[in-house]
Structures are given as structure tokens and as C-alpha cells.
Amino acid sequence: MKKAVSVLFTALLAISLAACGANSQPAATGDKPSGEKISGVPDGVQGGKRVAVVRNLPADDHTKQFFDGARSEGEAFGFKVDTFIADNDDAKFQELVAQAIQNNYDGMIVSHGKKDYSYDMLKPAIDKGMKVVSFDTVIEKDGKNLPGITTTFQDDFKLAELSLNEVAALSKDGQPVRVLKLWFGPGVPPLDRRQEIYTKFEQENKIKTLEVIGPTNFQDVQGDISTKVSAILAKYPPGSVDVIWGSWDEMAKGAFKAMKDNNRMDIKLISIDVSNQDINLIREDGSTWLATAAVDPRLIGTVDMRLLAKKFAGEDTPPTYDLEARLIKREQLKPDTNMTTLKDVIDGWGKSDAFNEKWMDDLRAHFAKK
């Protein structure tokens, strides 16, 4: 049985690394890197740490950048970082987390766990003494939260507010803006929070929802949404829909393709989240994708890794932390703007000193010499 479990974990690891472009290999069970003692650095982070980063989303651009941020910051601290992806398969996600716990990682960052299983999934890690940081994951059961876990979120309320303010600004003569809504749930924590703001805009009569469209094929969200939006657009003649609002940019990209394929660029598109693909589509000649609200996905991974490092060091960390949202508008983008250079046109993009410590700078300087 143990041999079968080991074989399964090896297979899942190979799949996950191939999907996200990682080139790291896991250290053997119980094998921890050793290293010289670094002056001024807490004992808890001396000698290197092994960290598993497990994500329950598809291998899209957002996921890649989240992994890149976590991996680059962790390796700058001298950590061994392995990344795993579950492609929105909850059973696979839970199995990957279980295997990381069994394989004696020192710490773990988990992304997009569902409320109905995350408490039970992560309790063995806490019981074992692992340090855990989560992103977009609700870890609560019967009114109780697991101690010691810091849960990070994008400021989803602000993301929704920023994007929906752009939607509401399309109103003519004070009439509610007619919206095709891209959303799925409930049960997905970030989308559930965005939904609260959407409901508020509906109640204030700023928007009117014509249809709600969501994916069923999470291995091809863009293709799935494109097909569904194409079918729905046939019901609405030009001038009867003001805007498509995408609560997640993977869905927005599918809607944009449907709009182009059906010659329906009379409809505006406003979304949440951003990637290089989004930027290219927003910037296209004749594009009606007007704006998107987002947090730098690379920065999310970076801040999560800093929090995990502070836990290794035995320093206080908050139970929750929200990363600040920004609005990106079509007219702000330049011909050479991408995720790396977005900081040049969006004030404060990708910058944060949150949870950075002097000893982290010492670690970066030490390992930069290697």
C-alpha cells in the first residue's frame, strides 16, 4: 500500500510540474537541505526549508505568475520550493495536500480550497506541526478555525467595487446597465465575496442582470464560456446588452472570443483579474474590453511566502490579510505594456513591503552570492 501511495504521488507530481512549467524536483521524504548559519537570521529559517505550494486552479497565466512569485521569493530565502496544481479537481487537490503532509514538508501554501473540506484537509498539517499559509481558502468548520494558519485574500470586495463602478458608469439617462454576468458558485470564496458587491449594485438599481453564465468544463474555461456566450448572444439583438461583466478573467477571455466571432463588439466587457493574455486582448484595435480590476498574482505568491517564512521564524502573523486591488483601464495601456511593465502605468502595481523583515533582506543577500 505504501508503495502504491508513493507511485501515485510521483505521478501526480510529474503531471503538476509539467502543467505549471516548474523544473524543481522534490527532496526525498525527510530530506532537508543543510546550510551554514547566517548571522542575524532567526534559527527557525536557518538551514533551508522545504515548501509545497498547492493550487486548485487551472494552469493559466495567473497561476503561473502566482507560482513564480512564491518560488522566486522562497528560493531567495534558501528554501526548496515544489509546486503542484490540481486543475480545479477537488479530489486531486486534497490528495496532493495529503501527500505533501506525508512527505514531511516544513511548510505549505495552499490556494483555492473549498470551505466544505479545507478544515479537515489541513488539520493533519497543523497537528503535525507544519506551517501553513492559504490563499482564497475558507478554513472553518462548525464555527471554528484552525489555529496558526494565515489566510490571504485579494481584496475581493474592492475588486468588485472597482469593476462594477466602471459598469455603472455606462448608464444612459440614469437607467440600470444591462448585464450579461459571468459567474459560478456559490462555494468559491473569492467569487462569493464579489457576489456580495454585485448584489448591492443590483439592489441600488445600478445594474440589471439579463443572464448568468458559468463554466462546467474547468479544463477549458475559455472555450466553454465562448460556446455558451455565443449561444446566448443570438437571443439579444444589437443594442439590447450594454456590458458583459466577468467575475473571473478566464471567463472574460471566453466571452471576448464569442463577441469577436459573432461580430458583437457593440457590447462592452469589464472584468476582474489580469494576465498577459488579457492585456493583449484589451489593447487590440477595436477592443471593447474597457477595464479590469486586479491584484498582481506574482505579488500574492511573494507575500504568502514571506508570511510562511515569518511562521518558520516563530514571529507573529495575522489570521487574515487582504492584498490591495487596482483598476486597469484600456487607455492606460501602452503598446509594450505586459505583466512585468504594468507597474510603469499603474501606480503601486506589484509593490508591497508587507511582512518583509530585515533578516529576509539578509537571506536574499546571502543566497544571491551562491
Side-chain angles (χ1 to χ4, degrees), residues 41-336:
V41 173
D43 289 342
V45 289
Q46 296 280 359
K49 294 290 180 181
R50 293 177 60 238
V51 176
V53 185
V54 190
R55 173 100 155 172
N56 190 26
L57 279 184
D60 58 13
D61 196 23
H62 195 280
T63 290
K64 180 181 182 301
Q65 295 196 48
F66 171 79
F67 279 155
D68 285 348
R71 186 187 300 109
S72 62
E73 190 76 326
E75 290 176 352
F77 297 156
F79 301 164
K80 177 70 169 61
V81 181
D82 294 319
T83 57
F84 307 88
I85 190 163
D87 291 317
N88 253 336
D89 183 329
D90 290 325
K92 178 179 176 181
F93 179 59
Q94 293 173 76
E95 179 65 22
L96 287 169
V97 169
Q99 294 292 350
I101 295 169
Q102 292 173 19
N103 279 269
N104 294 327
Y105 281 91
D106 299 291
M108 182 164 46
I109 296 171
V110 297
S111 170
H112 290 84
K114 303 289 198 315
K115 181 179 179 179
D116 59 350
Y117 60 73
S118 290
Y119 184 100
D120 291 333
M121 176 182 72
L122 291 171
K123 189 174 186 301
I126 298 303
D127 291 345
K128 194 173 184 176
M130 289 178 67
K131 305 303 182 184
V132 179
V133 173
S134 71
F135 172 58
D136 272 353
T137 301
V138 175
I139 308 165
E140 183 269 332
K141 183 178 182 181
D142 300 328
K144 297 179 181 178
N145 289 297
L146 282 172
I149 296 179
T150 295
T151 300
T152 65
F153 299 98
Q154 301 179 96
D155 188 342
D156 290 293
F157 300 111
K158 192 65 176 180
L159 287 170
E161 181 183 347
L162 288 170
S163 63
L164 288 167
N165 279 337
E166 296 299 302
V167 170
L170 299 173
S171 173
K172 299 173 183 177
D173 301 323
Q175 294 300 306
V177 178
R178 297 164 296 181
V179 180
L180 291 178
K181 175 187 178 185
L182 306 179
W183 185 80
F184 66 95
V188 181
L191 298 190
D192 289 346
R193 289 191 298 278
R194 296 168 194 181
Q195 171 65 12
E196 290 185 39
I197 305 302
Y198 189 92
T199 300
K200 178 174 177 286
F201 273 70
E202 282 185 313
Q203 292 170 344
E204 293 173 350
N205 210 34
K206 293 179 179 178
I207 58 178
K208 177 182 178 181
T209 305
L210 302 176
E211 301 260 3
V212 179
I213 309 160
T216 51
N217 178 5
F218 287 96
Q219 279 64 54
D220 182 18
V221 172
Q222 291 185 41
D224 188 17
I225 291 296
S226 179
T227 299
K228 290 174 178 174
V229 171
S230 290
I232 286 173
L233 286 177
K235 296 167 52 179
Y236 295 93
S240 61
V241 178
D242 297 313
V243 64
I244 296 176
W245 179 73
S247 61
W248 176 28
D249 66 328
E250 278 300 290
M251 293 188 286
K253 285 179 275 197
F256 186 82
K257 182 179 186 302
M259 290 160 60
K260 288 184 65 177
D261 290 348
N262 291 275
N263 194 27
R264 292 300 306 272
M265 303 310 282
D266 59 294
I267 302 171
K268 311 300 184 187
L269 177 61
I270 293 169
S271 63
I272 294 177
D273 294 331
V274 70
S275 69
N276 280 318
Q277 186 183 6
D278 299 354
I279 291 171
N280 290 335
L281 297 177
I282 292 169
R283 203 171 42 202
E284 275 189 9
D285 289 342
S287 174
T288 57
W289 194 337
L290 301 183
T292 192
V295 175
D296 182 0
R298 182 181 177 90
L299 185 63
I300 299 168
T302 297
V303 170
D304 283 358
M305 189 61 71
R306 289 176 189 167
L307 281 162
L308 192 64
K310 285 176 68 67
K311 290 181 182 296
F312 289 149
E315 297 181 353
D316 290 338
T317 54
T320 63
Y321 180 73
D322 287 350
L323 290 104
E324 189 174 356
R326 298 279 190 271
L327 181 67
I328 302 162
K329 301 179 76 169
R330 185 173 189 264
E331 59 264 30
Q332 294 174 295
L333 302 178
K334 297 179 179 179
D336 61 347

